[in-house]
Amino acid sequence: MKPINIDMLRSSANAVRERLGDASPSTAAILGSGWGAAIDDWTITDTVAFDQIPMLGAAAVKGHAGAIHLADTGHGTCLVFQGRRHAYGCTSWAPVIFPAFLAHAMGAQALLLTNAAGGIRDDLQPGDLMVIDDHINAMGDNPLRGPHQPDLGPRFPDLTRLYTPALRNQLDAAATEQSISLKHGVYVAVSGPSYETPAEVRAYTTLGADAVGMSTVPEAILAGALGLNVAGLSCITNRAAATGNDALSHDDVIDVTRAATPAMRALVCAFMQRVAAKPHAGE
Ligand code: HPA
């Protein structure tokens, strides 16, 4: 993967900011595979399509609308990425980490990352929602590799509390309030686009992973390096390869997220309401 061209990243962020009239969202969210409808209760006040930003391009994966929105949550403004670019579809990290860079540039304090993932731990079954407590980067690369760019944070960012404990507590509180059952676990990110082999899933089990997916970790790393408070949610859409009997398909992933949409929607709204009330929580 090519290191990031910082000038291109900056100019793309400036173009979006100008286009959005220099709005100042307090929070940001990336809606991954099948999470697009989680914001249906919010009012979209402005939209920029991914393909209007040359560096970002089209989202290209089913279940990813490919749009940047400003949304009125009823409790402040949220910068929403409906869809994401994945490392497996890119030759540079820039489109993958652009949402975290833009969220920081626009002054957001907290970033919610969502994705679809395969359940590794026995109790993580299709339809479950899981708070990401920590991650294992098995992508074989890091978005901060290359000559140090101070605009991307320190040379050696500390990831000890990457998934901000205060935000994880807020997710639990929001879930309790909405009577949604919420699990917790460690997310292992692989580069994809192939799903894992059974032997790989057994290896990730040994390493301490609870769920596996192809995203989120690059954005989380940059967001943490830039000092944003980070929260992560996975929708478990299937059992990972060694642990289930069925062949894996992206269509099944999307079907399961559709069934989980009411819970996603209630959880994301209740969480953002809580975060808006305490935008600096975690500091
Ligand atoms: N593996 C990797 N990525 C995924 C999976 C999986 O089983 N399910 C949804 N995204």
mmCIF file of all heavy atoms in Angstrom, residues 38 41-42 73 75 170-171 173-178 180 263-277:
data_model
loop_
_atom_site.group_PDB
_atom_site.id
_atom_site.type_symbol
_atom_site.label_atom_id
_atom_site.label_comp_id
_atom_site.label_asym_id
_atom_site.label_seq_id
_atom_site.Cartn_x
_atom_site.Cartn_y
_atom_site.Cartn_z
ATOM 1 N N ALA A 38 -29.015 3.160 9.910
ATOM 2 C CA ALA A 38 -28.949 3.459 11.353
ATOM 3 C C ALA A 38 -29.229 4.925 11.646
ATOM 4 O O ALA A 38 -29.523 5.279 12.782
ATOM 5 C CB ALA A 38 -27.591 3.052 11.917
ATOM 6 N N ASP A 41 -33.404 8.174 11.527
ATOM 7 C CA ASP A 41 -34.170 9.084 12.390
ATOM 8 C C ASP A 41 -33.599 10.500 12.390
ATOM 9 O O ASP A 41 -34.188 11.396 12.982
ATOM 10 C CB ASP A 41 -34.191 8.566 13.836
ATOM 11 C CG ASP A 41 -34.947 7.246 13.925
ATOM 12 O OD1 ASP A 41 -35.885 7.052 13.132
ATOM 13 O OD2 ASP A 41 -34.570 6.410 14.769
ATOM 14 N N TRP A 42 -32.438 10.698 11.778
ATOM 15 C CA TRP A 42 -31.815 12.017 11.777
ATOM 16 C C TRP A 42 -32.223 12.800 10.521
ATOM 17 O O TRP A 42 -32.639 12.221 9.516
ATOM 18 C CB TRP A 42 -30.283 11.904 11.813
ATOM 19 C CG TRP A 42 -29.763 11.263 13.059
ATOM 20 C CD1 TRP A 42 -30.474 10.971 14.189
ATOM 21 C CD2 TRP A 42 -28.422 10.818 13.294
ATOM 22 N NE1 TRP A 42 -29.651 10.379 15.116
ATOM 23 C CE2 TRP A 42 -28.398 10.271 14.604
ATOM 24 C CE3 TRP A 42 -27.241 10.818 12.539
ATOM 25 C CZ2 TRP A 42 -27.230 9.745 15.159
ATOM 26 C CZ3 TRP A 42 -26.087 10.302 13.095
ATOM 27 C CH2 TRP A 42 -26.088 9.775 14.394
ATOM 28 N N THR A 73 -28.876 15.528 14.526
ATOM 29 C CA THR A 73 -29.282 14.359 15.328
ATOM 30 C C THR A 73 -30.389 14.736 16.315
ATOM 31 O O THR A 73 -30.880 13.869 17.039
ATOM 32 C CB THR A 73 -28.086 13.811 16.138
ATOM 33 O OG1 THR A 73 -27.742 14.784 17.134
ATOM 34 C CG2 THR A 73 -26.882 13.542 15.256
ATOM 35 N N HIS A 75 -29.562 16.571 18.639
ATOM 36 C CA HIS A 75 -28.696 16.926 19.773
ATOM 37 C C HIS A 75 -27.349 17.393 19.242
ATOM 38 O O HIS A 75 -26.303 17.076 19.794
ATOM 39 C CB HIS A 75 -28.497 15.721 20.698
ATOM 40 C CG HIS A 75 -29.783 15.119 21.140
ATOM 41 N ND1 HIS A 75 -30.478 15.565 22.238
ATOM 42 C CD2 HIS A 75 -30.543 14.138 20.588
ATOM 43 C CE1 HIS A 75 -31.597 14.882 22.348
ATOM 44 N NE2 HIS A 75 -31.661 14.011 21.360
ATOM 45 N N GLN A 170 -20.777 4.539 27.500
ATOM 46 C CA GLN A 170 -21.971 5.200 26.948
ATOM 47 C C GLN A 170 -22.733 4.250 26.022
ATOM 48 O O GLN A 170 -23.963 4.298 25.951
ATOM 49 C CB GLN A 170 -21.589 6.475 26.167
ATOM 50 C CG GLN A 170 -20.977 7.571 27.007
ATOM 51 C CD GLN A 170 -22.012 8.259 27.890
ATOM 52 O OE1 GLN A 170 -23.010 7.678 28.274
ATOM 53 N NE2 GLN A 170 -21.751 9.508 28.210
ATOM 54 N N LEU A 171 -22.013 3.416 25.293
ATOM 55 C CA LEU A 171 -22.698 2.429 24.440
ATOM 56 C C LEU A 171 -23.497 1.458 25.296
ATOM 57 O O LEU A 171 -24.648 1.116 24.986
ATOM 58 C CB LEU A 171 -21.685 1.670 23.573
ATOM 59 C CG LEU A 171 -21.147 2.439 22.356
ATOM 60 C CD1 LEU A 171 -19.936 1.737 21.745
ATOM 61 C CD2 LEU A 171 -22.239 2.617 21.290
ATOM 62 N N ALA A 173 -24.677 2.033 28.308
ATOM 63 C CA ALA A 173 -25.802 2.746 28.921
ATOM 64 C C ALA A 173 -26.921 2.948 27.892
ATOM 65 O O ALA A 173 -28.105 2.777 28.198
ATOM 66 C CB ALA A 173 -25.323 4.086 29.473
ATOM 67 N N ALA A 174 -26.533 3.294 26.648
ATOM 68 C CA ALA A 174 -27.534 3.493 25.589
ATOM 69 C C ALA A 174 -28.264 2.179 25.298
ATOM 70 O O ALA A 174 -29.485 2.160 25.102
ATOM 71 C CB ALA A 174 -26.859 4.020 24.324
ATOM 72 N N ALA A 175 -27.534 1.079 25.293
ATOM 73 C CA ALA A 175 -28.143 -0.231 25.017
ATOM 74 C C ALA A 175 -29.113 -0.613 26.127
ATOM 75 O O ALA A 175 -30.222 -1.096 25.856
ATOM 76 C CB ALA A 175 -27.060 -1.291 24.860
ATOM 77 N N THR A 176 -28.718 -0.391 27.364
ATOM 78 C CA THR A 176 -29.608 -0.707 28.493
ATOM 79 C C THR A 176 -30.881 0.116 28.390
ATOM 80 O O THR A 176 -31.993 -0.414 28.519
ATOM 81 C CB THR A 176 -28.885 -0.402 29.829
ATOM 82 O OG1 THR A 176 -27.671 -1.140 29.839
ATOM 83 C CG2 THR A 176 -29.727 -0.784 31.027
ATOM 84 N N GLU A 177 -30.696 1.419 28.118
ATOM 85 C CA GLU A 177 -31.847 2.329 27.997
ATOM 86 C C GLU A 177 -32.819 1.846 26.910
ATOM 87 O O GLU A 177 -34.020 1.953 27.034
ATOM 88 C CB GLU A 177 -31.290 3.712 27.659
ATOM 89 C CG GLU A 177 -32.293 4.809 27.415
ATOM 90 C CD GLU A 177 -31.598 5.979 26.712
ATOM 91 O OE1 GLU A 177 -30.593 6.506 27.243
ATOM 92 O OE2 GLU A 177 -32.040 6.334 25.602
ATOM 93 N N GLN A 178 -32.277 1.309 25.816
ATOM 94 C CA GLN A 178 -33.104 0.898 24.677
ATOM 95 C C GLN A 178 -33.456 -0.601 24.709
ATOM 96 O O GLN A 178 -33.970 -1.137 23.730
ATOM 97 C CB GLN A 178 -32.361 1.191 23.361
ATOM 98 C CG GLN A 178 -32.095 2.673 23.111
ATOM 99 C CD GLN A 178 -33.382 3.461 22.913
ATOM 100 O OE1 GLN A 178 -34.293 3.009 22.239
ATOM 101 N NE2 GLN A 178 -33.452 4.648 23.517
ATOM 102 N N ILE A 180 -31.517 -3.153 24.429
ATOM 103 C CA ILE A 180 -30.804 -3.863 23.354
ATOM 104 C C ILE A 180 -29.691 -4.676 24.007
ATOM 105 O O ILE A 180 -28.967 -4.164 24.867
ATOM 106 C CB ILE A 180 -30.192 -2.856 22.352
ATOM 107 C CG1 ILE A 180 -31.306 -2.143 21.592
ATOM 108 C CG2 ILE A 180 -29.223 -3.535 21.382
ATOM 109 C CD1 ILE A 180 -30.839 -0.894 20.887
ATOM 110 N N ALA A 263 -32.383 -2.346 15.866
ATOM 111 C CA ALA A 263 -31.496 -2.258 17.038
ATOM 112 C C ALA A 263 -30.338 -1.298 16.764
ATOM 113 O O ALA A 263 -29.968 -0.476 17.618
ATOM 114 C CB ALA A 263 -30.967 -3.647 17.399
ATOM 115 N N MET A 264 -29.758 -1.364 15.559
ATOM 116 C CA MET A 264 -28.657 -0.449 15.205
ATOM 117 C C MET A 264 -29.099 1.002 15.327
ATOM 118 O O MET A 264 -28.401 1.843 15.871
ATOM 119 C CB MET A 264 -28.244 -0.643 13.742
ATOM 120 C CG MET A 264 -27.601 -1.948 13.404
ATOM 121 S SD MET A 264 -27.532 -2.001 11.592
ATOM 122 C CE MET A 264 -26.461 -3.381 11.354
ATOM 123 N N ARG A 265 -30.303 1.248 14.799
ATOM 124 C CA ARG A 265 -30.849 2.592 14.729
ATOM 125 C C ARG A 265 -31.076 3.153 16.140
ATOM 126 O O ARG A 265 -30.649 4.264 16.462
ATOM 127 C CB ARG A 265 -32.171 2.457 13.976
ATOM 128 C CG ARG A 265 -32.736 3.681 13.418
ATOM 129 C CD ARG A 265 -33.793 3.233 12.423
ATOM 130 N NE ARG A 265 -34.785 4.254 12.235
ATOM 131 C CZ ARG A 265 -35.763 4.196 11.350
ATOM 132 N NH1 ARG A 265 -35.880 3.130 10.576
ATOM 133 N NH2 ARG A 265 -36.611 5.175 11.233
ATOM 134 N N ALA A 266 -31.716 2.347 16.980
ATOM 135 C CA ALA A 266 -32.001 2.796 18.349
ATOM 136 C C ALA A 266 -30.700 3.014 19.116
ATOM 137 O O ALA A 266 -30.552 3.991 19.855
ATOM 138 C CB ALA A 266 -32.876 1.760 19.050
ATOM 139 N N LEU A 267 -29.746 2.120 18.907
ATOM 140 C CA LEU A 267 -28.484 2.221 19.656
ATOM 141 C C LEU A 267 -27.672 3.435 19.222
ATOM 142 O O LEU A 267 -27.169 4.198 20.056
ATOM 143 C CB LEU A 267 -27.673 0.934 19.447
ATOM 144 C CG LEU A 267 -26.343 0.854 20.193
ATOM 145 C CD1 LEU A 267 -26.550 0.976 21.701
ATOM 146 C CD2 LEU A 267 -25.618 -0.446 19.864
ATOM 147 N N VAL A 268 -27.548 3.630 17.906
ATOM 148 C CA VAL A 268 -26.739 4.752 17.402
ATOM 149 C C VAL A 268 -27.359 6.088 17.854
ATOM 150 O O VAL A 268 -26.655 6.981 18.317
ATOM 151 C CB VAL A 268 -26.598 4.689 15.861
ATOM 152 C CG1 VAL A 268 -26.025 5.972 15.299
ATOM 153 C CG2 VAL A 268 -25.727 3.493 15.465
ATOM 154 N N CYS A 269 -28.687 6.196 17.774
ATOM 155 C CA CYS A 269 -29.350 7.452 18.186
ATOM 156 C C CYS A 269 -29.142 7.708 19.665
ATOM 157 O O CYS A 269 -28.763 8.820 20.070
ATOM 158 C CB CYS A 269 -30.838 7.404 17.887
ATOM 159 S SG CYS A 269 -31.179 7.565 16.147
ATOM 160 N N ALA A 270 -29.398 6.697 20.492
ATOM 161 C CA ALA A 270 -29.282 6.886 21.948
ATOM 162 C C ALA A 270 -27.832 7.176 22.332
ATOM 163 O O ALA A 270 -27.557 8.001 23.210
ATOM 164 C CB ALA A 270 -29.801 5.648 22.673
ATOM 165 N N PHE A 271 -26.903 6.540 21.651
ATOM 166 C CA PHE A 271 -25.479 6.767 21.943
ATOM 167 C C PHE A 271 -25.087 8.194 21.599
ATOM 168 O O PHE A 271 -24.467 8.898 22.403
ATOM 169 C CB PHE A 271 -24.635 5.764 21.155
ATOM 170 C CG PHE A 271 -23.149 6.054 21.189
ATOM 171 C CD1 PHE A 271 -22.414 5.858 22.347
ATOM 172 C CD2 PHE A 271 -22.494 6.510 20.048
ATOM 173 C CE1 PHE A 271 -21.048 6.133 22.376
ATOM 174 C CE2 PHE A 271 -21.136 6.780 20.070
ATOM 175 C CZ PHE A 271 -20.416 6.589 21.234
ATOM 176 N N MET A 272 -25.465 8.650 20.407
ATOM 177 C CA MET A 272 -25.076 10.000 19.985
ATOM 178 C C MET A 272 -25.714 11.064 20.868
ATOM 179 O O MET A 272 -25.114 12.098 21.119
ATOM 180 C CB MET A 272 -25.430 10.234 18.518
ATOM 181 C CG MET A 272 -24.456 9.587 17.560
ATOM 182 S SD MET A 272 -22.733 10.139 17.835
ATOM 183 C CE MET A 272 -21.925 9.400 16.433
ATOM 184 N N GLN A 273 -26.913 10.792 21.345
ATOM 185 C CA GLN A 273 -27.573 11.736 22.256
ATOM 186 C C GLN A 273 -26.740 11.874 23.537
ATOM 187 O O GLN A 273 -26.509 12.973 24.034
ATOM 188 C CB GLN A 273 -28.967 11.207 22.587
ATOM 189 C CG GLN A 273 -29.753 12.128 23.481
ATOM 190 C CD GLN A 273 -31.197 11.664 23.628
ATOM 191 O OE1 GLN A 273 -31.685 10.841 22.855
ATOM 192 N NE2 GLN A 273 -31.871 12.186 24.625
ATOM 193 N N ARG A 274 -26.252 10.761 24.036
ATOM 194 C CA ARG A 274 -25.432 10.779 25.244
ATOM 195 C C ARG A 274 -24.092 11.460 24.996
ATOM 196 O O ARG A 274 -23.618 12.234 25.821
ATOM 197 C CB ARG A 274 -25.167 9.343 25.720
ATOM 198 C CG ARG A 274 -26.370 8.728 26.310
ATOM 199 C CD ARG A 274 -26.195 7.263 26.617
ATOM 200 N NE ARG A 274 -27.283 6.882 27.470
ATOM 201 C CZ ARG A 274 -27.285 7.025 28.783
ATOM 202 N NH1 ARG A 274 -26.220 7.451 29.418
ATOM 203 N NH2 ARG A 274 -28.342 6.707 29.491
ATOM 204 N N VAL A 275 -23.488 11.183 23.842
ATOM 205 C CA VAL A 275 -22.177 11.777 23.548
ATOM 206 C C VAL A 275 -22.318 13.292 23.369
ATOM 207 O O VAL A 275 -21.470 14.054 23.828
ATOM 208 C CB VAL A 275 -21.550 11.131 22.295
ATOM 209 C CG1 VAL A 275 -20.275 11.842 21.889
ATOM 210 C CG2 VAL A 275 -21.265 9.666 22.554
ATOM 211 N N ALA A 276 -23.424 13.714 22.716
ATOM 212 C CA ALA A 276 -23.628 15.151 22.501
ATOM 213 C C ALA A 276 -23.745 15.883 23.837
ATOM 214 O O ALA A 276 -23.307 17.021 23.974
ATOM 215 C CB ALA A 276 -24.881 15.388 21.665
ATOM 216 N N ALA A 277 -24.311 15.182 24.833
ATOM 217 C CA ALA A 277 -24.462 15.817 26.143
ATOM 218 C C ALA A 277 -23.110 15.981 26.821
ATOM 219 O O ALA A 277 -22.926 16.863 27.657
ATOM 220 C CB ALA A 277 -25.397 14.995 27.013
#
